[in-house]
Amino acid sequence: MALHFELVTPEKLVRSQEVYQVVVPGTDGDFGVLEGHAPFMSTVRDGMIQIYANAGSAPENISVEGGFAEVNEKGLTVLAEKAG
């Protein structure tokens, strides 16, 4: 099963795709999200989001500046002040 991931800035939808795992730079530390993760909210610090397309793949990194992350039954949404 795949995790639905969206990365959004005030200007545009940067990414919307099904992935294996995403690691987000949370304010209290990095956290990984897989399909079926419990509901969760966190602020996001400046850093790199790591996107794993499938198990064992090398991550794709996207820089982000500030924002919020929410995990719910639909997947992971990161609302970033800036991305890319």
Side-chain angles (χ1 to χ4, degrees):
M1 300 208 352
L3 169 70
H4 183 72
F5 168 63
E6 290 191 347
L7 175 58
V8 182
T9 66
E11 293 81 30
K12 65 180 178 176
L13 175 63
V14 176
R15 186 68 58 97
S16 179
Q17 69 185 109
E18 304 298 314
V19 299
Y20 172 71
Q21 179 182 12
V22 179
V23 179
V24 180
T27 303
D28 294 327
D30 292 358
F31 61 91
V33 179
L34 296 162
E35 173 65 26
H37 195 288
F40 180 77
M41 287 190 76
S42 175
T43 52
V44 175
R45 72 177 195 285
D46 296 356
M48 290 286 183
I49 289 182
Q50 299 176 330
I51 304 165
Y52 294 84
N54 49 57
S57 67
E60 175 185 356
N61 296 314
I62 299 177
S63 65
V64 293
E65 294 181 19
F68 295 91
E70 178 183 12
V71 180
N72 60 32
E73 67 280 350
K74 296 178 185 175
L76 167 64
T77 302
V78 176
L79 307 169
E81 293 172 16
K82 292 185 181 179

